Amino acid sequence: MFQRIRSLDWRLTSNIASLPRYMYPLMVAITQLGGAVIVGLIMMAGIYFSYLAQEWRLAWVYVLTIIAIGFSFILKAYFRRRRPDTPYAKAMWTKTYSFPSGHSFGAIAAYGVSAMALIPFVDVHWHLVLWLVAIVVTLMVGFSRVYLGAHYVLDVVGGWVLGLVYLSSLRFFGMM
């Protein structure tokens, strides 16, 4: 069973990575939407605006999200899955393990928390737009990570699952 999953993971990863190279500059740009700089800016903006609005619980949610994203690095060290043997992965300035994808987790956490935070402040007609933007950006970041050769498909899926568990726990515990 495990061998079948690994085989499927490798085939899907290979198929995505073999897509036309003209998409490369776009994928490099998209992957940054889940990177530390953009996600960090989203988190800092969320904390700042929560502070201005005196929404203390929301400010703490953004702080917790930063901590949760940091937790993904502990999981990387635990699972120790090596990255794909690609030029992109070799050129990365950080040499972390592959599972779970930090970009995928960061994207779903940052954009998901932000969508949930904004919903009370926008007209009901914009709720779907907020969620669609969060979902599309999250999916594109994950796709870009596989396309570029930074991750296997299961690394990205693992990041998304971790993110969904995190967002669900915020709802479950009444934080959002």
Side-chain angles (χ1 to χ4, degrees):
M1 174 70 163
F2 185 70
Q3 187 60 31
R4 285 184 184 174
I5 293 171
R6 288 188 78 163
S7 176
L8 177 62
D9 183 30
W10 190 86
R11 279 195 319 268
L12 288 172
T13 300
S14 296
N15 287 340
I16 293 170
S18 68
L19 291 172
R21 300 317 299 168
Y22 67 83
M23 294 171 36
Y24 190 86
L26 176 63
M27 291 297 118
V28 169
I30 288 171
T31 207
Q32 297 308 313
L33 296 174
V37 172
I38 301 296
V39 169
L41 288 172
I42 292 169
M43 295 295 100
M44 292 299 120
I47 292 169
Y48 178 71
F49 288 113
S50 299
Y51 171 77
L52 288 180
Q54 295 186 353
E55 293 284 342
W56 309 117
R57 184 174 9 176
L58 185 56
W60 276 111
V61 166
Y62 278 104
V63 171
L64 286 173
T65 303
I66 294 168
I67 294 168
I69 291 169
F71 178 71
S72 72
F73 288 95
I74 294 170
L75 291 175
K76 285 176 181 285
Y78 177 78
F79 287 108
R80 295 179 168 223
R81 185 176 192 192
R82 296 200 186 281
R83 289 188 181 271
D85 187 23
T86 63
Y88 186 88
K90 289 177 184 175
M92 291 171 54
W93 63 276
T94 58
K95 302 298 179 195
T96 60
Y97 290 104
S98 191
F99 182 87
S101 167
H103 278 70
S104 297
F105 177 58
I108 197 169
Y111 296 104
V113 163
S114 296
M116 289 193 301
L118 289 172
I119 280 181
F121 301 103
V122 298
D123 187 58
V124 71
H125 297 77
W126 288 97
H127 292 192
L128 181 61
V129 172
L130 285 173
W131 281 115
L132 283 175
V133 168
I135 291 167
V136 168
V137 170
T138 297
L139 291 174
M140 290 303 299
V141 166
F143 180 84
S144 73
R145 301 304 286 163
V146 176
Y147 174 86
L148 293 170
H151 287 287
Y152 297 99
V153 169
L154 284 181
D155 302 336
V156 169
V157 171
W160 288 339
V161 168
L162 186 62
L164 287 172
V165 167
Y166 175 70
L167 294 176
S168 298
S169 70
L170 290 175
R171 295 291 295 175
F172 180 78
F173 289 111
M175 297 294 289
M176 296 292 295

